Amino acid sequence: MKTRPQSIQKILTFYFSSIMLILLTLSAVIFSLMQYLNLRSNTEREIQRTCTAIADSIELQIQQMDTACLNTIHSTVIKDTFYAYLNDTEATAYEQNQRRGTIASELIATRGVDTSIRQINLYGFSNGGYGAGNYTGDLNVNAPDEFWYENTKAMH
């Protein structure tokens, strides 16, 4: 069977359409690749910035807690009052209540108005403790039985 020769118009249309389709596909692939690389680098930069902000915030919180801890440790009013509160067995209820009030006000003053430090607790070496913050009052704990006690005592 003989086939009719194709017209030049059909041949040119076919080649032109094929070339245009190839160019359009290639352009779409190149554009998509460029966008992917751009979005990836922007995302990496944003993740890095977020991680840095979180690390700075954590560092600031640790510094604030450290400052409150050091202020508590170096306060002679807190140390003397807490020692008397735990060890004076002959104190009246009124004296113990006065000591609780002094300890609470000193701890809250040490904590300051910054509410990110929610609680400051004092623990006795043998038993008892006092806390100020979310819970203000006596702590019925035996510090030597706590998991952190031996490591903390060994460090200091």
Side-chain angles (χ1 to χ4, degrees):
M1 273 204 132
K2 279 186 172 183
T3 58
R4 285 187 8 191
Q6 292 183 340
S7 70
I8 228 157
Q9 182 181 5
K10 285 185 179 181
I11 294 171
L12 287 177
T13 303
F14 174 75
Y15 284 122
F16 180 74
S17 298
S18 299
I19 290 172
M20 290 309 284
L21 185 62
I22 290 169
L23 287 176
L24 183 62
T25 304
L26 187 62
S27 296
V29 167
I30 290 171
F31 178 75
S32 297
L33 182 63
M34 286 172 46
Q35 284 300 101
Y36 169 76
L37 294 174
N38 187 28
L39 287 173
R40 182 178 172 151
S41 68
N42 287 345
T43 303
E44 287 175 355
R45 216 176 6 248
E46 287 300 316
I47 289 173
Q48 186 65 34
R49 191 174 322 170
T50 301
C51 289
T52 302
I54 290 171
D56 291 345
S57 178
I58 290 171
E59 182 66 30
L60 178 64
Q61 292 297 318
I62 289 172
Q63 287 175 353
Q64 288 174 342
M65 287 189 289
D66 187 52
T67 300
C69 182
L70 289 174
N71 288 342
T72 302
I73 289 170
H74 294 296
S75 171
T76 55
V77 173
I78 292 174
K79 285 190 288 191
D80 294 343
T81 308
F82 186 63
Y83 180 80
Y85 174 71
L86 288 181
N87 297 315
D88 188 2
T89 56
E90 296 179 10
T92 64
Y94 176 76
E95 289 173 327
Q96 287 295 76
N97 194 33
Q98 288 293 102
R99 290 175 182 149
R100 277 195 289 275
T102 301
I103 293 169
S105 64
E106 288 294 321
L107 288 177
I108 289 171
T110 298
R111 186 184 75 158
V113 294
D114 182 16
T115 58
S116 65
I117 300 173
R118 296 180 181 240
Q119 186 75 24
I120 298 177
N121 293 333
L122 299 175
Y123 296 95
F125 287 112
S126 57
N127 61 2
Y130 196 83
N134 287 348
Y135 170 76
T136 300
D138 291 324
L139 301 173
N140 295 323
V141 295
N142 190 10
D145 293 341
E146 297 294 323
F147 71 93
W148 47 262
Y149 182 79
E150 289 301 324
N151 289 338
T152 305
K153 192 174 173 184
M155 290 179 156
H156 300 287

